[in-house]
Amino acid sequence: MKAFLFKIYMLLFMVLVVFFIVVIWNVTFGHIVHEYYERQKVNDITALKGSNEQEVEKSTFEKVILESDERVKNYLGYKILEETRIKGHFHHIGFDIGPDKRSYCVKCHGDIPHDAVKEIRAFLNMHTFFVGCQTCHIKLEGKNKTGVFKWYNRMSGEIVDSPVKTARPGTYKAKIIPFERVNGQLQRIDNDERIAFALEYSKREKTLTEGQKSRAIKLIHKLVSKKPVQCEECHQKDNPLLPFEAIGYPKERVDSITSTEVVGMIKNYTKFYMPKMLTPEEAKKK
Amino acid sequence: MSLKIALKNYFILFLPAITIMLFMPATSFSADIGNCLLCHKYPGISRVDEEGKLKLFYVNEDIFNNSVHAKVKCDGCHTDIKEIPHKHAIKVDCLVECHIIEPASKKKFSHKDVQTFINKSVHGVIDNKGKEKKFKEDFPTCKSCHDNPLYRPISFFKRVRPGISEQSLGRCRVCHKSEDFIYRSYNHVTTRLHPLNIAGVCAKCHNDLALVTRHGLSTKAVYSYGETFHGKAASFLDERIPNCLDCHVSKGESVHQMLTHKDPNASTSEQNKGKICTTIDCHPSASPKLAKYGVHSEFNLTQSPAQYFFTVFFIVLTGGTLLPLMVIIFLDIVRRFFPNASIGGRK
């Protein structure tokens, strides 16, 4: 036992020594190597400067997509406000929502997916933050209609209690998902089987033939309705599609969502833009 | 009814109203008269534009109400928005006259003067001869440096803790009666950026190697600042150390009027440089020669040969002694694990 403990001790000591070697290398000779490469970069840019041309921005994936998720800290004395920096954005964001790890739709479409209808795309993306894609894009009608919706946690994917009363509007770390009836049992529409199928497609996409891809895409989107849920189907006093009270909205929030102010604004938008909303493809062409 | 009773009745009548006003949350003082937050309070209100850039239209009400623009109405800056639903909003012009009345002049407030200072500074796009400078895209606009400045109240009393100084507020209350006015004025006057935030703002450009090289600047200024004693202290959130503006702007001048060191009026010019360190707030008893040390020295033979050789000496000394030492310790541990091991059968 004593020998075993001694070996463990020595092993840990060995790891510590390796750690120190790495640290000392980085602050001494590694520093020189880093500086050498920095100098090389300067020389390259200086050469471009001589020709009086601005360095051509390299549109690498890393530069355009990954580097754009910069973080910034605001030191306020009594607290540090850390947030995402969006270049050119004036107002502070102030908090992080976190990614939706459950949704298999966002794996391909992203979490700011709406773009086709110029006038209302920002509103639709706003809803994407707390309404699951299937809530609007899969219309369960007739005998398939259950009228059951629940909240799921964006990170864990688990069904959770309504966050509406505990957070500011739209800042929930949860989304609404519809439930369907399978063999008499209620189950969430984004069940594990569908997620597994979509993920399998995503993993094997490169190895599939064009025909196989078309079939897979068709099957993944099998339930998607041609015409999604329209704004006024929820934003109405009489029998809205989402059972607001059942999913935890207090009366004053329900009144606000279905208020004349909101409904009137939607009417104003839809009055002007309804034709395009109904035919997004046409809007795209324009 | 006597005057005393009448006053008592008035007091009882207005007490609930006064109480409500005192304890009203900050959000109630919002400048959102147009009810823009009906939509813009939702963090997801966004889109990706044709250039692939994320456009976020969200306004965090709590944070906005603790910013220097809290009293400016939305349409004070977004002047083109006159109705709801509105069309695509045009880019905000920071020089526009907003709806705030500047208390001293009683005129509508504008940032136009700032632009005047910028034009005279190294950050202006037009040079002394009236010509456009090279690489004009690199020069900063308002939003290159500023997001919405947040109130950052500093307690000056006894330097114990940051935050609002109740003692200061007490003095304000002697004359001023409106709590809202006192709170905002106090915050407005005491707010300034933390040294690390100022360095962060300058770093956006001055740590960009490509930009620094394009403009023939001698150093990645914020990086080299970070290597100094002042920079290290700033990274430990020390507020007393100098930030970029303390040295690069003459005392009492607008922070936007940053002049090139070749300009005799610049704080960093040869004539004025000596005064930077010896200011009463920093090292008043120091010799003006103190300012001659290389504040922005980099590990660069051409730029700072003395520092370069000094650094090389210490790198060799540190690396040359500690690395072999660590390797020997490592090999010694290996031997303890395998006491009988040998290479090529040697014992």
Side-chain angles (χ1 to χ4, degrees):
Chain A
M1 185 64 184
K2 196 179 169 187
F4 175 73
L5 285 175
F6 180 72
K7 283 197 175 175
I8 294 287
Y9 168 72
M10 293 308 283
L11 205 63
L12 289 174
F13 196 55
M14 201 184 237
V15 171
L16 189 68
V17 170
V18 172
F19 170 73
F20 274 121
I21 290 175
V22 173
V23 170
I24 296 165
W25 172 263
N26 280 335
V27 297
T28 55
F29 300 112
H31 178 66
I32 295 181
V33 174
H34 173 74
E35 284 292 332
Y36 171 77
Y37 285 111
E38 283 279 288
R39 290 289 120 211
Q40 290 293 106
K41 273 192 216 166
V42 171
N43 292 341
D44 293 346
I45 299 163
T46 313
L48 271 170
K49 188 189 153 205
S51 64
N52 199 20
E53 282 175 18
Q54 184 145 2
E55 185 195 20
V56 179
E57 282 288 322
K58 288 174 191 162
S59 304
T60 58
F61 189 80
E62 191 175 349
K63 202 165 184 64
V64 176
I65 304 297
L66 301 181
E67 281 186 12
S68 62
D69 274 341
E70 196 189 343
R71 306 281 298 168
V72 62
K73 283 181 181 176
N74 297 281
Y75 298 92
L76 300 177
Y78 59 101
K79 68 169 182 179
I80 297 173
L81 176 72
E82 187 176 352
E83 57 187 356
T84 304
R85 173 185 277 158
I86 300 170
K87 203 176 174 187
H89 188 66
F90 183 73
H91 293 284
H92 290 274
I93 303 166
F95 66 94
D96 292 312
I97 285 284
D100 180 358
K101 291 192 173 171
R102 173 78 183 187
S103 170
Y104 56 92
C105 309
V106 300
K107 299 250 176 347
C108 291
H109 295 280
D111 58 4
I112 310 173
H114 300 103
D115 192 50
V117 190
K118 193 179 165 191
E119 290 77 11
I120 56 164
R121 56 192 170 184
F123 283 111
L124 299 179
N125 289 327
M126 169 185 115
H127 285 81
T128 309
F129 251 57
F130 53 91
V131 179
C133 309
Q134 295 90 340
T135 310
C136 299
H137 289 279
I138 298 176
K139 286 177 95 171
L140 298 172
E141 286 170 315
K143 63 179 173 50
N144 293 328
K145 188 176 179 180
T146 61
V148 178
F149 296 85
K150 288 186 180 175
W151 293 89
Y152 73 90
N153 184 288
R154 294 169 67 104
M155 294 296 276
S156 66
E158 288 169 3
I159 298 295
V160 290
D161 290 338
S162 170
V164 179
K165 287 176 188 164
T166 55
R168 287 194 154 229
T171 62
Y172 322 124
K173 295 188 174 180
K175 283 171 131 179
I176 301 166
I177 193 79
F179 273 60
E180 62 179 345
R181 204 174 294 280
V182 179
N183 301 328
Q185 295 285 315
L186 275 175
Q187 70 169 38
R188 59 194 292 177
I189 210 156
D190 59 338
N191 60 38
D192 293 341
E193 198 185 326
R194 287 192 181 118
I195 292 175
F197 189 90
L199 292 182
E200 187 75 9
Y201 165 72
S202 156
K203 211 191 311 176
R204 295 169 63 168
E205 191 186 354
K206 281 181 189 165
T207 62
L208 299 177
T209 64
E210 299 307 313
Q212 286 171 327
K213 276 187 203 172
S214 301
R215 281 176 55 212
I217 291 169
K218 197 83 181 168
L219 286 171
I220 290 168
H221 295 91
K222 192 180 162 190
L223 291 176
V224 174
S225 313
K226 278 186 181 166
K227 187 183 166 190
V229 170
Q230 302 295 293
C231 312
E232 62 275 12
E233 288 182 58
C234 288
H235 292 281
Q236 60 165 313
K237 286 218 184 284
D238 304 326
N239 198 21
L241 179 92
L242 281 177
F244 291 118
E245 282 172 29
I247 54 174
Y249 279 81
K251 193 178 175 306
E252 62 271 21
R253 290 279 302 127
V254 179
D255 288 345
S256 166
I257 291 166
T258 57
S259 68
T260 322
E261 201 173 19
V262 173
V263 175
M265 190 176 67
I266 290 166
K267 272 186 185 160
N268 266 331
Y269 266 108
T270 48
K271 190 175 153 189
F272 293 115
Y273 310 124
M274 184 59 98
K276 286 185 202 169
M277 280 172 73
L278 291 173
T279 53
E281 285 308 312
E282 215 167 277
K284 241 186 210 175
K285 281 177 207 166
K286 282 184 184 176
Chain B
M1 191 164 57
S2 72
L3 181 66
K4 200 176 171 183
I5 295 167
L7 281 173
K8 195 182 168 188
N9 286 343
Y10 276 121
F11 181 74
I12 291 165
L13 263 173
F14 287 109
L15 184 66
I18 293 164
T19 316
I20 289 166
M21 278 174 76
L22 281 176
F23 293 97
M24 211 177 335
T27 48
S28 304
F29 296 112
S30 165
D32 183 29
I33 289 168
N35 201 11
C36 305
L37 288 172
L38 177 71
C39 301
H40 290 274
K41 69 184 169 201
Y42 289 93
I45 189 159
S46 59
R47 68 180 176 90
V48 177
D49 75 2
E50 285 65 28
E51 304 295 320
K53 286 179 187 159
L54 173 63
K55 297 281 178 189
L56 182 66
F57 311 114
Y58 166 61
V59 177
N60 185 320
E61 192 183 5
D62 287 339
I63 297 182
F64 183 78
N65 284 337
N66 278 296
S67 76
V68 298
H69 292 102
K71 283 297 228 183
V72 184
K73 291 178 214 160
C74 303
D75 66 352
C77 298
H78 299 279
T79 50
D80 57 315
I81 295 175
K82 305 281 183 203
E83 58 186 2
I84 294 178
H86 63 83
K87 291 209 164 57
H88 177 70
I90 59 169
K91 212 174 174 182
V92 168
D93 175 10
C94 301
L95 309 185
V96 77
E97 279 184 351
C98 57
H99 296 173
I100 291 285
I101 303 293
E102 199 272 302
S105 64
K106 307 285 180 205
K107 286 180 183 169
K108 275 190 176 179
F109 181 78
S110 160
H111 288 296
K112 273 178 191 162
D113 287 346
V114 174
Q115 189 60 47
T116 318
F117 288 125
I118 295 269
N119 291 345
K120 287 181 198 164
S121 79
V122 283
H123 294 128
V125 185
I126 308 292
D127 67 13
N128 294 339
K129 292 166 192 162
K131 285 183 184 172
E132 217 168 59
K133 290 179 187 168
K134 279 181 195 170
F135 311 114
K136 66 168 188 171
E137 302 80 8
D138 288 344
F139 287 87
T141 59
C142 306
K143 286 206 288 180
S144 310
C145 301
H146 299 285
D147 44 27
N148 193 8
L150 299 176
Y151 281 148
R152 187 176 162 268
I154 300 161
S155 178
F156 293 108
F157 281 88
K158 299 191 172 66
R159 278 187 175 172
V160 177
R161 59 181 172 81
I164 291 178
S165 164
E166 285 301 328
Q167 280 164 286
S168 293
L169 287 178
R171 293 185 180 196
C172 305
R173 286 185 188 114
V174 172
C175 302
H176 302 288
K177 300 302 170 204
S178 161
E179 278 298 311
D180 183 36
F181 175 86
I182 292 169
Y183 173 78
R184 294 206 181 280
S185 302
Y186 173 80
N187 277 309
H188 221 96
V189 172
T190 58
T191 291
R192 69 181 180 98
L193 285 175
H194 187 280
L196 262 192
N197 282 133
I198 293 173
V201 165
C202 304
K204 285 183 201 169
C205 296
H206 286 274
N207 265 9
D208 180 342
L209 185 65
L211 188 142
V212 165
T213 314
R214 271 200 300 275
H215 291 267
L217 305 174
S218 61
T219 176
K220 284 193 292 173
V222 181
Y223 167 75
S224 49
Y225 166 78
E227 294 289 290
T228 64
F229 173 79
H230 294 144
K232 302 282 180 207
S235 68
F236 287 112
L237 304 183
D238 190 334
E239 305 226 11
R240 293 164 301 168
I241 50 93
N243 56 56
C244 312
L245 303 177
D246 288 317
C247 300
H248 288 273
V249 178
S250 300
K251 290 272 174 274
E253 295 291 340
S254 163
V255 291
H256 297 96
Q257 194 170 344
M258 208 160 287
L259 304 172
T260 162
H261 64 92
K262 291 168 195 161
D263 188 320
N265 296 321
S267 60
T268 49
S269 69
E270 276 307 314
Q271 300 94 302
N272 298 332
K273 208 172 164 184
K275 296 174 202 161
I276 294 176
C277 307
T278 56
T279 169
I280 194 149
D281 297 324
C282 298
H283 306 282
S285 54
S287 155
K289 285 180 186 168
L290 181 62
K292 288 195 173 174
Y293 88 104
V295 186
H296 290 291
S297 295
E298 282 192 14
F299 185 61
N300 183 337
L301 182 59
T302 330
Q303 191 224 39
S304 346
Q307 279 89 342
Y308 179 82
F309 286 117
F310 206 69
T311 314
V312 166
F313 171 75
F314 272 102
I315 282 176
V316 173
L317 184 71
T318 317
T321 49
L322 289 180
L323 278 176
L325 180 70
M326 287 296 146
V327 172
I328 289 166
I329 294 173
F330 184 81
L331 291 174
D332 183 53
I333 300 169
V334 174
R335 169 55 75 192
R336 281 165 195 268
F337 266 110
F338 308 103
N340 301 317
S342 64
I343 299 170
R346 285 175 57 200
K347 293 219 170 175

